Amino acid sequence: MIRLNSRQKEAAEFLYGTACVIACPGSGKTLTMTRRIANLVKNHGVSPERIIGLTFTRNAAQAMREKLYPILEDLATRVDLATIHSFCYSLLKQEGKTFEILHGNEQLKFVRQVMKKKRIRNIPVGLIIREISLAKNNIIDTDEFADLYTGDETMLKIADVYRLYEAEKKKKLLLDFTDLLFESYLLLKGEKEIRQKYQDSYTHLLIDEYQDVGPLQVEILKQLINNHRKSSFWVCADDCQSIYSFTGASVGNILNFDKVFQNSQQFILDTNYRSTPEILSCCQRLIDHNTKKIDKVLRTKNSTGAKATVIDATNEEDEALQLVNEIKGLTESGTYQFKDIAVLYRANSLSRPIEDGFKQHQIPYHIENGSSFYQRHEVKVLLDYLRFINNPDSDDGDDALRKIINIPNRYIGKTFMTGLESFSNKRNVHLFQGLKTMPIEVPYLKKFIKDFVCLIEPLIQDVAQLEPAEIIHILREGLDYDRYISDDDIPSPDDSKIENINQLQLVSAKYKDIPALINYTETFKEENSNNKDGVALMTVHKSKGLEFPIVFVIGMTEGVMPNKQGEIEEERRICFVGISRAMNLLYLTYPINYMGKNATRSRFLDEILED
Ligand SMILES: Nc1ncnc2c1ncn2[C@@H]1O[C@H](COP(=O)(O)OP(=O)(O)OP(=O)(O)O)[C@@H](O)[C@H]1O
């Protein structure tokens, strides 16, 4: 078992009161939190049920339980380890609240209906959901929201939607993810008995990744804190890894911790056990450029290693090829395995050239908690359109038509499809022929089908003359596809669906006809694209809390990392999280041409490398 250093030990042995553990990356804060739980149970007779450990992701809760198990054995299963959302879900259910969760596409449809009732158009539904969620995460109700945005026409329309959205959800007993938190907060704050019950059941409250906890979550935690002499509230955080400001989280959580929670004790863990001194210096030089932070000197006793390697590439394809060569060199020597390597990027769409390169050179990989580029919904739909256009009167064409007929939404339901299938069957024709000849009574369906046929038919006729990239372009215009896609945007900084289809268009330009492109994309269903022992590909946000012997941070150009829409200090922290995942070797790569345009190398590279 790993021996804690003296500071970790002090933090792990903290018993009663409030404590904030401020830690640098790789300094064992997660390890310390686990040990503290074990210490409370083993050495202080605290019943495991009296302890709650809140983590940022379900994976993190699971990882913590696995670490606890060897120490506490069966007792480990009795400690409540959960994300704050799942904790709130259970709380509401336990208190007898009846509700269903509204999320994903259902939430989009729901908000669209509200917009329709309010006659509001031209505001992306994704933006509306983001704004409402941000407001709720900041405990801003509908009236305050409207007051806050007096004079701002768009935001006032959003305020209108917010108001009706709340009322409609209430009527239908629906809660979205933020409501789980909000309703729990109201319940805990408003009902003394319930609050008391939870305060009594959890005498020790521990929170991981406190830097990414938003104002609403802080308020929930305050309701749960037990002020009894023999209780504790213990958080660990790294202000430099705060990367979720889009949910209302703020570095201020840590900077002001001792003001919000007076008489709290602070522990600083500044010894990094993960990285070489060279990698740590890169982290330090980068983060020194941020002003909003707690000054820390990052230290490690680890042996020296290689300097960070910078790779400049002519474009994304070349960047991928250079990655392939490096990875081959590293793995062929037998020193490293593919699973020791992670490729991190700021935006999801950056995986496309890398996946292409890996496929071509048989490098096994997997996308961490996500799907391969060619399996992503917005990409797959366009590929299905191409498949249909290529061969509409075939079984494959029928299959593709079933997938695309209602995207974007044409209000086609099961009854219509059953009718179409049986109409076509009786006449022994494929579905598209059936669709063109079947009498359609409902006026709006008639119009949607007519529009669909008018767009698709010329493409089918000219398929031999058109290249896949041209067809994709026409489809994007004709279907108003980009709008459809961006409306589908669920709040996330790295959800870049339009960038994904831009990438698809770029790669499709390499193929002269649809079958060649489709055949190529089909190969990504193979095992090598989802090999858990392969190289891990993921966004920096997904890499939070993880570590790898070798890390490649790619796409280090201005506009990408830092992202053009991001706030610069937050973008720097994102980069910091990425590079601090590396244990032995760090590679920083950038293309001087990105998406066919000149790109400037990221200012972060200069900061990381400066003397
Ligand atoms: N005292 C120690 N001795 C040896 N190794 C340690 C010690 N403390 C932590 N480690 C190791 O250092 C690595 C980082 O630990 P951990 O993931 O807990 O850090 P962290 O502070 O949560 O990191 P981050 O915030 O960057 O995700 C792990 O491999 C862990 O086993």
Side-chain angles (χ1 to χ4, degrees):
M1 194 158 73
I2 295 173
R3 270 176 69 110
L4 299 186
N5 69 33
S6 59
R7 286 186 177 184
Q8 290 172 326
K9 204 158 174 279
E10 271 175 47
E13 287 177 359
F14 177 84
L15 207 48
Y16 304 129
T18 303
C20 177
V21 179
I22 296 174
C24 75
S27 59
K29 61 185 161 63
T30 312
L31 180 77
T32 306
M33 175 162 156
T34 316
R35 291 294 176 81
R36 179 162 186 267
I37 295 174
N39 182 51
L40 289 171
V41 176
K42 276 192 103 168
N43 302 328
H44 297 279
V46 176
S47 161
E49 289 81 3
R50 291 298 179 99
I51 302 173
I52 179 163
L54 295 177
T55 58
F56 200 74
T57 61
R58 266 189 285 166
N59 283 356
Q62 184 54 29
M64 200 165 279
R65 200 177 299 286
E66 281 163 17
K67 281 195 183 127
L68 266 182
Y69 202 78
I71 319 176
L72 292 183
E73 296 173 348
D74 283 350
L75 291 179
T77 56
R78 288 166 46 194
V79 178
D80 203 347
L81 296 172
T83 63
I84 193 155
H85 283 88
S86 66
F87 167 75
C88 288
Y89 177 89
S90 309
L91 182 147
L92 294 173
K93 286 286 176 192
Q94 244 168 37
E95 295 314 314
K97 296 276 167 197
T98 309
F99 64 90
E100 298 226 13
I101 299 279
L102 180 67
H103 74 112
N105 277 337
E106 291 307 310
Q107 188 185 18
L108 288 166
K109 273 191 221 156
F110 195 88
V111 176
R112 281 200 188 103
Q113 279 163 8
V114 172
M115 290 168 71
K116 212 167 159 194
K117 282 189 187 159
K118 285 272 157 196
R119 296 175 196 279
I120 290 174
R121 278 188 242 151
N122 301 330
I123 306 179
V125 65
L127 173 72
I128 295 184
I129 293 176
R130 257 198 304 275
E131 288 298 340
I132 294 177
S133 166
L134 189 62
K136 280 212 144 171
N137 273 308
N138 281 289
I139 323 181
I140 296 172
D141 69 19
T142 51
D143 291 339
E144 286 166 324
F145 189 88
D147 282 349
L148 199 66
Y149 292 107
T150 310
D152 182 330
E153 209 181 307
T154 307
M155 294 307 278
L156 287 178
K157 283 184 187 163
I158 296 179
D160 252 9
V161 178
Y162 185 9
R163 207 170 272 127
L164 187 59
Y165 175 63
E166 293 302 297
E168 295 280 305
K169 272 187 303 174
K170 206 168 180 180
K171 248 196 268 169
K172 296 186 171 128
L173 301 177
L174 293 169
L175 296 183
D176 64 25
F177 280 145
T178 320
D179 292 331
L180 291 178
L181 305 184
F182 200 73
E183 292 302 313
S184 302
Y185 162 66
L186 293 181
L187 199 64
L188 288 166
K189 194 175 155 75
E191 306 270 344
K192 193 169 172 227
E193 271 179 28
I194 296 180
R195 184 169 65 242
Q196 198 62 54
K197 185 170 87 184
Y198 283 88
Q199 288 184 358
D200 291 346
S201 21
Y202 297 116
T203 40
H204 297 276
L205 191 54
L206 297 93
I207 325 291
D208 196 9
E209 311 268 11
Y210 191 75
Q211 73 279 358
D212 285 324
V213 165
L216 175 58
Q217 301 185 12
V218 173
E219 289 309 312
I220 294 172
L221 296 174
K222 281 188 190 161
Q223 304 302 323
L224 291 173
I225 294 172
N226 181 330
N227 286 320
H228 188 272
R229 203 163 50 79
K230 290 198 162 182
S231 66
S232 72
F233 175 56
W234 186 102
V235 309
C236 59
D238 179 357
D239 53 301
C240 298
Q241 293 188 62
S242 169
I243 56 173
Y244 275 81
S245 68
F246 65 100
T247 64
S250 127
V251 196
N253 274 350
I254 314 298
L255 303 184
N256 300 322
F257 189 87
D258 55 347
K259 292 187 191 78
V260 178
F261 300 99
Q262 283 169 7
N263 302 322
S264 60
Q265 205 171 323
Q266 194 180 77
F267 299 93
I268 296 197
L269 308 184
D270 62 357
T271 304
N272 175 297
Y273 289 91
R274 175 180 297 145
S275 314
T276 61
E278 288 75 9
I279 293 170
L280 218 51
S281 303
C282 291
C283 298
Q284 181 89 59
R285 286 194 292 266
L286 176 71
I287 208 64
D288 278 348
H289 288 264
N290 268 13
T291 54
K292 276 181 267 161
K293 64 174 193 304
I294 296 171
D295 284 321
K296 291 184 224 105
V297 179
L298 310 179
R299 298 173 226 279
T300 184
K301 291 185 188 130
N302 289 345
S303 334
T304 55
K307 280 192 166 179
T309 307
V310 177
I311 296 178
D312 56 348
T314 43
N315 54 28
E316 304 98 305
E317 262 66 34
D318 181 42
E319 189 180 24
L321 191 63
Q322 299 209 42
L323 231 72
V324 165
N325 291 336
E326 285 295 336
I327 291 173
K328 279 193 166 167
L330 290 162
T331 50
E332 279 167 7
S333 65
T335 325
Y336 292 105
Q337 296 179 301
F338 291 117
K339 66 174 181 208
D340 295 328
I341 303 170
V343 177
L344 310 182
Y345 34 82
R346 176 70 181 90
N348 241 326
S349 60
L350 268 71
S351 82
R352 200 278 303 160
I354 306 299
E355 288 191 65
D356 283 352
F358 283 7
K359 167 69 53 191
Q360 214 180 341
H361 297 273
Q362 284 110 41
I363 305 241
Y365 71 92
H366 68 274
I367 307 267
E368 184 83 11
N369 280 338
S371 51
S372 158
F373 177 81
Y374 297 102
Q375 304 300 319
R376 290 177 197 157
H377 175 72
E378 62 280 11
V379 173
K380 225 168 162 314
V381 167
L382 282 180
L383 291 172
D384 284 334
Y385 264 96
L386 292 184
R387 207 150 58 81
F388 173 67
I389 290 164
N390 183 53
N391 205 353
D393 295 320
S394 67
D395 289 348
D396 191 42
D398 286 349
D399 177 64
L401 182 67
R402 287 185 195 104
K403 293 193 166 119
I404 60 171
I405 186 101
N406 218 10
I407 303 177
N409 196 359
R410 299 186 177 95
Y411 302 94
I412 288 169
K414 271 197 190 126
T415 323
F416 181 92
M417 281 313 284
T418 318
L420 173 62
E421 298 269 357
S422 96
F423 182 88
S424 311
N425 266 341
K426 274 189 203 143
R427 281 154 191 81
N428 205 17
V429 293
H430 283 284
L431 293 181
F432 189 48
Q433 292 309 324
L435 190 71
K436 286 192 289 184
T437 47
M438 185 172 81
I440 303 172
E441 305 289 328
V442 186
Y444 66 84
L445 284 181
K446 198 171 177 166
K447 181 184 176 308
F448 279 129
I449 297 302
K450 188 170 162 236
D451 290 350
F452 174 74
V453 173
C454 285
L455 173 71
I456 297 294
E457 192 115 77
L459 296 175
I460 294 172
Q461 271 156 20
D462 295 343
V463 73
Q465 286 81 49
L466 291 167
E467 293 193 352
E470 284 175 274
I471 304 181
I472 291 177
H473 178 73
I474 297 168
L475 287 172
R476 285 177 74 171
E477 297 268 306
L479 299 169
D480 205 359
Y481 195 67
D482 289 16
R483 202 174 126 78
Y484 162 74
I485 290 298
S486 57
D487 275 358
D488 242 11
D489 223 2
I490 294 287
S492 162
D494 52 348
D495 192 353
S496 41
K497 294 178 180 177
I498 291 186
E499 285 175 28
N500 278 339
I501 50 175
N502 285 340
Q503 282 287 353
L504 176 68
Q505 198 157 341
L506 205 68
V507 75
S508 65
K510 290 188 196 163
Y511 296 88
K512 284 267 164 268
D513 56 32
I514 296 177
L517 173 64
I518 298 289
N519 284 344
Y520 174 67
T521 62
E522 292 281 311
T523 62
F524 285 84
K525 287 183 184 156
E526 288 166 13
E527 236 174 57
N528 257 2
S529 315
N530 189 18
N531 186 334
K532 288 285 166 213
D533 288 329
V535 176
L537 267 60
M538 71 194 88
T539 59
V540 176
H541 280 86
K542 294 251 164 72
S543 76
K544 208 172 145 130
L546 305 178
E547 59 187 15
F548 299 88
I550 303 167
V551 168
F552 288 83
V553 179
I554 65 160
M556 295 214 47
T557 60
E558 285 291 314
V560 178
M561 175 100 95
N563 180 283
K564 49 183 168 298
Q565 278 134 26
E567 188 262 326
I568 195 66
E569 294 216 348
E570 170 116 338
E571 292 297 314
R572 194 173 279 112
R573 289 192 295 270
I574 293 170
C575 185
F576 178 83
V577 169
I579 63 176
S580 62
R581 304 303 96 201
M583 297 159 80
N584 305 345
L585 296 176
L586 173 65
Y587 289 82
L588 304 161
T589 75
Y590 68 98
I592 53 173
N593 268 286
Y594 177 64
M595 300 293 292
K597 293 192 187 120
N598 283 343
T600 314
R601 97 187 204 147
S602 167
R603 74 192 79 174
F604 295 160
L605 260 177
D606 299 325
E607 294 170 3
I608 289 170
L609 300 172
E610 72 197 7
D611 281 328

